[in-house]
Amino acid sequence: MGALPEIVGRDPFDALVIRTDYGDEAAWREVVADLTRRWGEDDESAPAVHLVEDPVWADRTPEEVLCAVRRDEELCVVFLADRVTMRSADRLLLALDVFEEEDDLDPMYYRELIDSPPPREFRTVPAEVHVVHANLSIGNMGFEEFAETAFAAPDRVHRSS
């Protein structure tokens, strides 16, 4: 597999969703329909999403995707429409924290962080993509807060509260 292309033309306010599974066209259409619906209280917010649908991304791992998208300095989260997305009834997307982990933390001061690193991914329903992206983009919430709500749920999926 070759190098992944740079994502171009994404508005910083658009959530980035990359399709990595191409086995079910109908499932993908459902995901797109969910992502392009108005959202928020009383559906007052227009969807802002940048969809990447290019077979060059097929079967790429989360690590490969993260390496490619980290070129975008304004990106804080990327969502993958992977095999789990296409096979799950709720079309669960994989949310990935774009920020790189610190490898050179001083154990004297960061023992707890080294021993228990924050979560780097979680699953969410398409309807929550805009909420997650918007809150992370403005620094209103941290990635780990969304991951914690997902991990606390019986199905380990972030959904609206």
Side-chain angles (χ1 to χ4, degrees):
M1 290 191 174
L4 292 169
E6 184 174 355
I7 306 292
V8 295
R10 184 185 78 84
D11 184 297
F13 296 107
D14 290 351
L16 177 60
V17 179
I18 299 175
R19 182 181 183 185
T20 63
D21 184 274
Y22 286 79
D24 188 337
E25 213 48 47
W28 174 243
R29 285 193 301 273
E30 288 178 30
V31 171
V32 171
D34 286 344
L35 290 169
T36 56
R37 282 195 183 98
R38 295 186 70 77
W39 64 282
E41 290 182 34
D42 300 320
D43 296 330
E44 80 276 8
S45 299
V49 64
H50 184 96
L51 300 172
V52 175
E53 184 180 7
D54 182 341
V56 72
W57 295 88
D59 300 319
R60 297 303 185 130
T61 65
E63 294 77 23
E64 289 174 306
V65 171
L66 284 172
C67 284
V69 302
R70 282 188 176 128
R71 297 176 217 155
D72 183 342
E73 295 176 1
E74 296 185 36
L75 187 64
C76 55
V77 63
V78 61
F79 300 90
L80 300 188
D82 60 3
R83 182 165 307 203
V84 171
T85 306
M86 302 308 177
R87 292 184 179 178
S88 63
D90 291 333
R91 304 294 176 223
L92 304 175
L93 295 159
L94 181 62
L96 300 172
D97 187 357
V98 173
F99 296 113
E100 294 188 67
E101 294 180 48
E102 294 287 329
D103 291 333
D104 59 349
L105 293 175
D106 184 339
M108 176 103 170
Y109 301 104
Y110 297 102
R111 173 57 50 207
E112 185 177 331
L113 189 57
I114 292 168
D115 292 343
S116 300
R120 308 292 298 173
E121 63 183 47
F122 64 89
R123 292 275 170 189
T124 189
V125 293
E128 283 296 292
V129 163
H130 302 293
V131 173
V132 171
H133 178 261
N135 279 286
L136 292 176
S137 294
I138 63 172
N140 189 44
M141 292 179 72
F143 190 91
E144 57 281 343
E145 292 174 89
F146 284 106
E148 286 172 12
T149 65
F151 298 154
D155 61 358
R156 298 187 57 84
V157 173
H158 171 73
R159 300 174 192 277
S160 61
S161 306

